[in-house]
Amino acid sequence: MSCEVNFRKVAVIGCGFVGSSSAFALMQSGMFSEMVLIDVNHDKAEGEAMDIAHGTALSSPMKIYAGTYDDIKDAAIIVLTAGAAQKPGETRLDLIKKNIGIFDHILPEIKKRDCKGILLVVSNPVDILTYYAIKKSGMSENRVFGSGTVLDTARLRHLLGSKLCVDSRSVHANVIGEHGDSEFVTWSNANISSVPLEDFMALRGQEMEDLDTIKKLVAEDVKNSAYEIIQKKHATYYGIAMSVVRICTAIMKDEKSILPVSTALHGEYGIDSIALSVPAIVGRNGVERLVPVALSEEERQELVRSAEVLKKNTAEIEF
């Protein structure tokens, strides 16, 4: 039986580095008054819940506890972070079989509860797992989407802002496609508060290397950020936790924000039967619609290639 959605409640499934960091960041956000943590290791979930709950005396009141799948029924948002972590030398796509197996235990439990909230998939490979969740969760497609390239886009804006000596929040540029090695930057419409990159560099009087070189270096740094962090500290979790908060904020405040989340395509950009990241309007009802951004012909081809990479790696999966 389904029940009414509690718009002050969030559930986090998976209490590894990403799940616990996301839970901590969500507690600090003040958006929710109740949070349930679920993990195959219930003691781990209880420990994280206790640790995070102790901080509420220094922030704002919130009920935080370890629970079971019955506790997700009325959650406004279910944040799904469960899965094997990416190891040094592994790509996100290397995780497919491991995490499909984990999702095969989780998604039937979600489907059984007939949840009416939003399912936000964060586990990697996020695009493939998002499409799998759309097919297996029993939830309407607009209410199941992935964190996609929201983090990659944040990395891009941070790095580009540093290069151009400007607040990263004034950088308007996106990473789209796979959250992985085939992602790319939509340079054709990148700007600094509507000022083209070349013009902004001239405005600042910056004597910098050729812009094409900057673009190439920044795009490579964005793509390789996760590998570098994993090599140095074995996991990435703070950046994605902040991305989870950003997406949840757009949902809970019904912001209608345009974010590059991972969602299923049905012919848009000449792509179908797969999920990947393109700009979409995100609000209380989830993904309200895709935003048909103008891409150069080369970018359009890159997006199609990115979809083909994902499809190639899902050939043996039964959706």
Side-chain angles (χ1 to χ4, degrees), residues 14 81-85 99 102-103 106 123-124:
T81 71
N99 287 347
I102 292 170
F103 270 43
I106 296 171
S123 312
N124 279 319

Side-chain angles (χ1 to χ4, degrees), residues 6 26 28-29 52-53 113 130 148 157 161 191 196 213-214 277 314:
N6 177 356
L26 287 166
Q28 290 186 306
S29 74
I52 296 170
R113 272 72 184 183
T130 294
R157 295 177 182 181
N191 64 82
T213 302
I214 295 173
S277 289
T314 59

Side-chain angles (χ1 to χ4, degrees), residues 72-286:
I72 70 173
K73 290 185 292 186
D74 61 341
I77 303 174
I78 302 167
V79 182
L80 180 46
T81 71
Q86 187 177 349
K87 297 177 181 177
E90 277 189 325
T91 68
R92 296 178 182 93
L93 292 175
D94 288 332
L95 302 175
I96 294 173
K97 288 185 178 179
K98 296 179 190 174
N99 287 347
I100 286 289
I102 292 170
F103 270 43
D104 279 339
H105 291 287
I106 296 171
L107 295 176
E109 297 290 347
I110 293 174
K111 185 175 183 178
K112 193 186 303 182
R113 272 72 184 183
D114 191 21
C115 301
K116 300 301 182 185
I118 303 291
L119 176 59
L120 174 60
V121 179
V122 183
S123 312
N124 279 319
V126 69
D127 305 291
I128 292 171
L129 293 178
T130 294
Y131 196 65
Y132 196 71
I134 288 170
K135 296 298 183 180
K136 302 291 186 177
S137 66
M139 298 172 66
S140 59
E141 190 172 295
N142 63 295
R143 295 189 292 113
V144 182
F145 58 96
S147 53
T149 54
V150 171
L151 174 56
D152 309 88
T153 295
R155 288 170 172 159
L156 168 67
R157 295 177 182 181
H158 166 74
L159 292 169
L160 198 54
S162 296
K163 280 281 188 183
L164 301 181
C165 300
V166 68
D167 185 346
S168 59
R169 294 171 298 179
S170 296
V171 176
H172 300 286
N174 286 306
V175 177
I176 65 173
E178 175 202 0
H179 173 53
D181 293 342
S182 67
E183 68 183 29
F184 64 96
V185 180
T186 56
W187 290 116
S188 66
N189 51 45
N191 64 82
I192 310 297
S193 290
S194 81
V195 179
L197 300 184
E198 299 91 333
D199 295 346
F200 188 83
M201 288 172 62
L203 179 71
R204 296 284 279 168
Q206 290 170 308
E207 294 182 6
M208 301 178 69
E209 61 264 45
D210 179 78
L211 183 57
D212 287 338
T213 302
I214 295 173
K215 289 178 179 178
K216 183 177 180 180
L217 290 173
V218 168
E220 284 300 309
D221 283 349
V222 170
K223 190 180 298 184
N224 294 324
S225 287
Y227 296 130
E228 185 175 356
I229 294 169
I230 290 168
Q231 189 66 41
K232 292 178 183 295
K233 56 175 276 189
H234 305 296
T236 69
Y237 36 90
Y238 296 129
I240 188 60
M242 292 302 295
S243 301
V244 167
V245 171
R246 177 68 192 95
I247 296 167
C248 288
T249 300
I251 296 167
M252 297 312 300
K253 295 185 178 181
D254 199 21
E255 289 183 339
K256 318 292 187 188
S257 295
I258 297 175
L259 300 171
V261 293
S262 183
T263 187
L265 270 62
H266 300 285
E268 298 89 351
Y269 305 98
I271 298 167
D272 60 18
S273 302
I274 199 65
L276 46 63
S277 289
V278 291
I281 297 173
V282 179
R284 180 60 64 89
N285 294 316

